[in-house]
Amino acid sequence: KTPRNIKFDGKDYPLGGRVAVEGATSSALRKDERNFEIIDKIQGKIIRNEQIELSPDLKTFTWTMRRIGQREPDIFVFERQ
């Protein structure tokens, strides 16, 4: 539940808030108009990679989270009603 103040420029930005781990950063990069990626690091080491995708018809939102050390990614799919 730590807030992220990031820009979509691929640069690392420190995490804020009272529960942020020292040396924790996030970076974001927009791949195209409907896809972007967020990478979380601690002390420069990647701990999590998130890919967010909005379908071409804008009705399905897919969030894929890969945590380092976790065998399979967590995949969340949301459909507009």
Side-chain angles (χ1 to χ4, degrees):
K1 311 296 186 223
T2 302
R4 294 179 183 156
N5 294 311
I6 54 178
K7 297 178 184 176
F8 291 95
D9 59 6
K11 295 179 184 178
D12 290 341
Y13 291 92
L15 294 180
R18 291 182 280 149
V19 295
V21 174
E22 186 174 334
T25 61
S26 285
S27 64
L29 187 62
R30 187 176 300 275
K31 295 184 171 189
D32 60 35
E33 60 190 23
R34 294 183 324 273
N35 297 284
F36 65 93
E37 177 179 49
I38 297 174
I39 297 174
D40 294 327
K41 299 176 186 176
I42 295 180
Q43 303 295 334
K45 185 177 178 181
I46 296 173
I47 60 165
R48 179 175 50 215
N49 176 297
E50 299 175 55
Q51 294 178 338
I52 293 92
E53 177 183 351
L54 185 60
S55 65
D57 64 3
L58 308 179
K59 293 187 177 189
T60 305
F61 176 86
T62 304
W63 175 25
T64 304
M65 186 182 343
R66 291 177 174 84
R67 299 172 199 250
I68 300 306
Q70 185 175 327
R71 191 171 184 90
E72 298 292 326
D74 295 321
I75 301 172
F76 305 92
V77 179
F78 304 90
E79 293 185 13
R80 185 175 286 187
Q81 298 291 324

